[in-house]
Amino acid sequence: MKIPLNEFEQLIDERILKRGLAYFKDGAITDFSEISTGEYEAIVLGTEEYTVQLEIKNSTIVEHNCDCPYDMEPVCKHIVASIFYLKQDELELDQPNFTIAKKKKTKSVAQQVKELLKAISHEELIDFVQENSKKDNKFRNYFLASFGHLSHEQSKPFYQKQIKSILSTAAGKDGWIAWNDMKYVVNTAESFLLNANNNFENNNFKNVFYIATALLEEFTEAFDYADDSNGDLGYFIESSMELLSKLTQEKLPKSLKQVIFEYCIVSFKQKLFEGWDWHLGMLRVAVKLIEKESDADTVLNCLDTVNGKYEQERAQSFKLDLLRRFKGEKEVEKYINEHISNSSIRTKEIEKAYKSKNYNSVIELSKDGIKCDEKDKPGLVKVWYNWLLKVAQAQKDTSKIIEYARFLFIDNFHPEQDYYQILKDTIEDGNWHPFLEEIIKEIKPKNRWTYTELIRKIYIKEAWWDRLFLMLKQNVSLENIQQNEQYLSKDYSSELIDLYTERITNYVEKYIGRSHYQTACRYLRRMKKLGGNDQVNDLIALFRKKYPQRRALMDELNRV
């Protein structure tokens, strides 16, 4: 849970908020220090002495942790007490009931560590590491991850064992890695990526392969027992795939190239990563290592085994690229004809035909695509119609341009061209407004958001402000008023001020919290720009009289 410091009171449960404030006021914070830039540590006296850690970036707490046993909410009262301590000057809070004795200025934690390391003997340090490795799994895992690259017995199982230990430690007795435990996994496992990059620079490519494949296998498996809300597991998977891809670009020994190629094929056949993008991605790595046609045949045979409609379409496009590289034109042509229903393959064929000005082929492929996809893939139908429009434009076929552009203008959420302007440039001036009225008449009964927005677009393009204002009145909201303000402010400023007044009044009555008050005040400032100073002052006076207990509202009103 990320906590913006200026909104923490709105995001944290009121019960926990009150307890944390009470802890702060009772002087429970016995020590508070910035241990490095943006990282804070507090000692909070509760039933026992608890340590709170906060990491702050851009005025937002991005990480927070307390070693107390409370786990009912994302944030405990000790963390809240620490936040109040951090914000005490800004919030003008009373100091604790008793004064904590000021400590003498001490050296930073980093300086203390540096001095101690110089003073400790080599033997003492060895004993310390060995003893703490026995007692503390986290310490041991971090030590191995950081220095395992110095071992002479590196292999995939060597790294897998270390990664398994990290994940197992984070999972604990219940076997689940919670969101707040992922930070430990990331901080520890990051060392493997650093080691891999160092090995890359030193041309130790075999070790890079060991690290990448160990991370791939163990972190893929971890998706079954970890909360990856932050995408941390995905980050290590992506980084590992990048390492493998980078390896294919190096001048590798022939034996290592074969090992990597075979790993990619075996992992695909054994379905180690089935259901994930990198399942097919392993074949893409393998393709970069192909040196002979038999290797290409191995990959082609693997592609034929892909299951699932979406995955099959990706595999078919992938296979076509391979056929073009390693097979003859007849085999390629045959494959295209057999799989033309694949939208990616159809698109490439249309692009090729359009580029060579083979417009009949473009028309044939596009119309066939419309028939093929109109039932299940309406979004693709728009793509094929757009190609028909491009051909009509290239051939200057006015009637077809109007037919296709009209269809695409009415029913297209992601337009590829400005269909409105195409129509306006094509239709004679005398017929233009009647043409638009027919479109409005056709789409009004559908009463869907996309069609309503289309009518609004027509009103704006044609500067039909009376109709736009009537449309706004039929669906008044603060967002809609603001959205139309730039078009209506010249002719309807007083009406907009009245609409704002009504909606802001309702909004403040309905919603509580600083973020909502900030929203209301933002709209008050928009009223001012429209010339509604008197109405704004009246609203401010009303809110001060009606809601004097809302301190955050009073604070925000002072800034209007």
Side-chain angles (χ1 to χ4, degrees), residues 344-362:
S344 296
I345 293 175
R346 186 186 298 277
T347 298
K348 286 182 180 179
E349 291 305 299
I350 290 176
E351 287 172 347
K352 189 169 67 173
Y354 186 81
K355 190 174 181 180
S356 62
K357 297 186 178 180
N358 185 356
Y359 296 137
N360 287 336
S361 180
V362 175

Side-chain angles (χ1 to χ4, degrees), residues 281-295:
M282 299 310 295
L283 295 185
R284 295 193 182 279
V285 173
V287 164
K288 296 174 183 177
L289 297 166
I290 290 176
E291 292 188 332
K292 51 187 184 292
E293 191 172 343
S294 61
D295 289 340

Side-chain angles (χ1 to χ4, degrees), residues 28 42 58 80 130 138 165 214 216 249 297 347 360 371 376 417 445-446 454 469 480 488 535:
N58 300 322
V80 172
Q130 286 180 333
K138 288 188 176 182
S165 180
L216 266 176
Q249 299 166 25
D297 289 334
T347 298
N360 287 336
K371 287 180 184 177
D376 299 322
Q417 301 186 64
K446 297 180 180 179
L454 184 61
F469 181 67
N480 284 347
L488 299 174
Q535 291 89 336

Side-chain angles (χ1 to χ4, degrees), residues 24-67:
F24 164 73
K25 287 188 173 182
D26 288 344
I29 310 284
T30 60
D31 186 44
F32 192 97
S33 57
E34 185 173 13
I35 56 176
S36 64
T37 304
E39 292 192 12
Y40 299 85
E41 188 171 275
I43 304 299
V44 186
L45 191 60
T47 311
E48 298 177 20
E49 207 172 57
Y50 299 114
T51 301
V52 170
Q53 295 169 320
L54 304 175
E55 183 180 342
I56 299 173
K57 292 180 181 177
N58 300 322
S59 299
T60 298
I61 300 173
V62 295
E63 293 285 351
H64 49 78
N65 186 56
C66 179
D67 59 5

Side-chain angles (χ1 to χ4, degrees), residues 209-325:
F209 171 69
Y210 292 152
I211 294 170
T213 51
L215 284 169
L216 266 176
E217 292 184 25
E218 297 308 319
F219 275 79
T220 298
E221 193 174 315
F223 277 106
D224 291 333
Y225 59 89
D227 180 348
D228 194 41
S229 302
N230 281 350
D232 295 320
L233 296 179
Y235 160 72
F236 282 99
I237 297 290
E238 187 178 326
S239 300
S240 300
M241 290 300 292
E242 284 178 8
L243 286 170
L244 290 179
S245 184
K246 279 176 65 179
L247 280 175
T248 65
Q249 299 166 25
E250 299 294 326
K251 291 183 178 179
L252 304 174
K254 201 164 187 177
S255 58
L256 181 57
K257 286 181 77 172
Q258 190 61 29
V259 166
I260 299 174
F261 180 83
E262 287 177 2
Y263 175 83
C264 292
I265 299 301
V266 169
S267 66
F268 182 86
K269 288 182 176 179
Q270 291 182 350
K271 301 181 180 181
L272 289 184
F273 312 120
E274 190 175 34
W276 302 102
D277 285 345
W278 47 102
H279 175 58
L280 199 57
M282 299 310 295
L283 295 185
R284 295 193 182 279
V285 173
V287 164
K288 296 174 183 177
L289 297 166
I290 290 176
E291 292 188 332
K292 51 187 184 292
E293 191 172 343
S294 61
D295 289 340
D297 289 334
T298 300
V299 176
L300 289 169
N301 291 333
C302 287
L303 288 169
D304 287 335
T305 68
V306 172
N307 295 315
K309 193 170 183 180
Y310 171 69
E311 289 77 10
Q312 281 180 341
E313 288 193 351
R314 291 174 62 208
Q316 287 165 4
S317 299
F318 187 3
K319 183 171 181 176
L320 180 56
D321 292 338
L322 272 178
L323 290 173
R324 284 192 167 120
R325 282 179 58 188

Side-chain angles (χ1 to χ4, degrees), residues 377-547:
K377 299 177 180 178
L380 279 175
V381 170
K382 313 300 188 305
V383 174
W384 311 139
Y385 265 108
N386 196 66
W387 280 109
L388 291 175
L389 174 59
K390 285 183 177 181
V391 171
Q393 289 170 307
Q395 294 178 332
K396 296 182 170 42
D397 187 333
T398 301
S399 64
K400 291 295 183 186
I401 291 173
I402 295 171
E403 177 189 347
Y404 299 140
R406 186 184 192 279
F407 171 79
L408 290 165
F409 176 62
I410 290 175
D411 198 10
N412 205 325
F413 194 62
H414 295 292
E416 291 186 36
Q417 301 186 64
D418 187 345
Y419 304 117
Y420 174 90
Q421 197 59 49
I422 290 171
L423 289 167
K424 189 165 188 176
D425 292 342
T426 307
I427 296 170
E428 293 180 2
D429 290 345
N431 296 328
W432 177 235
H433 283 169
F435 178 83
L436 287 179
E437 295 293 356
E438 282 297 318
I439 288 180
I440 293 170
K441 185 178 178 182
E442 178 183 332
I443 64 180
K444 256 190 175 181
K446 297 180 180 179
N447 199 28
R448 277 169 45 192
W449 174 82
T450 48
Y451 296 118
T452 302
E453 188 59 26
L454 184 61
I455 293 174
R456 176 177 173 271
K457 179 180 178 180
I458 292 173
Y459 291 167
I460 291 170
K461 289 282 189 180
E462 297 300 317
W464 290 344
W465 306 133
D466 54 339
R467 297 172 78 171
L468 182 63
F469 181 67
L470 181 62
M471 188 179 201
L472 170 61
K473 285 185 69 178
Q474 290 169 348
N475 187 20
V476 180
S477 70
L478 289 170
E479 293 82 2
N480 284 347
I481 300 169
Q482 180 181 336
Q483 192 180 37
N484 291 288
E485 186 184 303
Q486 60 179 309
Y487 308 111
L488 299 174
S489 58
K490 183 178 178 183
D491 299 318
Y492 293 93
S493 59
S494 62
E495 288 86 348
L496 291 175
I497 290 168
D498 290 341
L499 291 177
Y500 267 134
T501 300
E502 179 188 352
R503 301 308 297 180
I504 293 172
T505 303
N506 293 340
Y507 186 87
V508 172
E509 182 179 340
K510 186 175 180 181
Y511 297 106
I512 296 173
R514 186 175 291 273
S515 62
H516 291 303
Y517 302 150
Q518 289 171 340
T519 298
C521 290
R522 188 172 72 246
Y523 287 118
L524 286 174
R525 286 189 279 273
R526 299 197 74 85
M527 283 179 66
K528 273 190 170 184
K529 288 182 181 179
L530 288 168
N533 283 328
D534 292 340
Q535 291 89 336
V536 169
N537 290 334
D538 289 343
L539 278 178
I540 291 175
L542 172 68
F543 296 150
R544 289 193 185 284
K545 182 178 179 181
K546 197 171 181 180
Y547 310 110

Side-chain angles (χ1 to χ4, degrees), residues 1-3 8-20 64-80 178-180:
M1 177 182 175
K2 294 184 180 180
I3 308 173
F8 79 97
E9 292 174 274
Q10 282 79 47
L11 296 174
I12 297 171
D13 183 89
E14 187 176 357
R15 179 173 48 87
I16 302 298
L17 206 62
K18 286 180 179 177
R19 289 182 180 178
H64 49 78
N65 186 56
C66 179
D67 59 5
C68 75
Y70 181 79
D71 62 357
M72 300 293 287
E73 301 280 347
V75 176
C76 68
K77 58 192 174 186
H78 311 110
I79 290 174
V80 172
W179 174 82
N180 56 329

